[in-house]
Amino acid sequence: MFMGLFNHKDINSGVNEWKNTKDAVLLDVRTAEEYSEYHIEGSTNIPLGNLDSIVQFITDKSTPLFVHCLSGGRSARAVAFLKSKGYTDVHDIGGISAYRGETV
C-alpha cells in the first residue's frame, strides 16, 4: 500500500522516452553486483557511490539522462546529485523492480 506513495515514477514510460530521445543515456545507479544480475539492455551502470565519476563519461551536461535503480530511492538521490553538478536534463524514472520489459 505505501509503496505506491513513494513510487510515483513509471520506469516503463521512462524507458520508452529514453529510447525515443536522441543521444539520451539510461543510467542505472544500482551496484555493479545488482547490475550484473540483470539490467535493461543499453543501460549504463554507474553505482550511486561512484556517481562523481560521471564527469569522465558524460562531459556534456545537457545530455538527457534517464536515471533508475532498484526501487526508486537511489535514483532520487542520484538525480539531486546530478542536478547539483550542473546536469540540466535529468529524469528520475524510478525502480527496475517495476519494469515490465526484457532484461539481460
Side-chain angles (χ1 to χ4, degrees):
M1 178 176 154
F2 291 112
M3 286 303 290
L5 295 174
F6 301 109
N7 191 11
H8 58 281
K9 306 296 180 189
D10 179 13
I11 189 167
N12 299 289
S13 62
V15 169
N16 190 47
E17 188 177 347
W18 160 68
K19 288 178 180 177
N20 292 304
T21 303
K22 185 177 181 352
D23 299 323
V25 173
L26 181 61
L27 184 59
D28 186 329
V29 296
R30 297 177 300 149
T31 66
E33 293 80 15
E34 288 172 302
Y35 187 81
S36 69
E37 289 176 19
Y38 67 97
H39 58 272
I40 299 168
E41 189 169 6
S43 64
T44 298
N45 179 230
I46 303 178
L48 181 62
N50 300 347
L51 201 53
D52 56 342
S53 69
I54 194 168
V55 295
Q56 299 169 10
F57 304 104
I58 303 172
T59 56
D60 180 355
K61 293 189 175 183
S62 66
T63 300
L65 301 173
F66 292 83
V67 184
H68 76 280
C69 60
L70 180 63
S71 62
R74 286 175 282 183
S75 62
R77 292 196 310 266
V79 165
F81 175 82
L82 291 164
K83 288 181 177 179
S84 78
K85 295 299 179 186
Y87 289 88
T88 58
D89 193 359
V90 186
H91 309 270
D92 180 358
I93 63 170
I96 195 171
S97 61
Y99 184 60
R100 293 187 300 268
E102 291 186 28
T103 58
V104 292

